[in-house]
Amino acid sequence: MPSNEKEYNGILFDQLSILERIEAVTDDEKALKQIAVERRQIERKLYQKPLLVSE
């Protein structure tokens, strides 16, 4: 479990990188649609307001 918001955001960026690598090597339309769904979910977590922890 991430101990702070910076670490959590790093994990989300890693997940986005994985999706980009998979997207680059697939032509399967179903897979591309699912990648788009996963990307939106990760981005929603990444750009949430308010912050996870109050400073």
Side-chain angles (χ1 to χ4, degrees):
M1 188 70 151
S3 62
N4 59 42
E5 188 170 4
K6 184 176 180 180
E7 186 178 348
Y8 183 68
N9 285 347
I11 292 168
L12 294 175
F13 279 118
D14 289 342
Q15 291 176 352
L16 286 174
S17 295
I18 291 167
L19 289 178
E20 288 172 356
R21 289 192 300 253
I22 295 169
E23 189 176 34
V25 297
T26 188
D27 293 328
D28 182 15
E29 285 301 315
K30 285 179 126 179
L32 292 172
K33 286 180 183 178
Q34 187 60 40
I35 288 169
V37 169
E38 298 297 330
R39 181 186 311 277
R40 285 192 303 271
Q41 291 175 353
I42 293 168
E43 288 174 347
R44 184 170 44 241
K45 292 175 190 175
L46 187 60
Y47 301 116
Q48 71 175 341
K49 301 259 187 265
L51 300 175
L52 292 175
V53 293
S54 51
E55 295 180 28

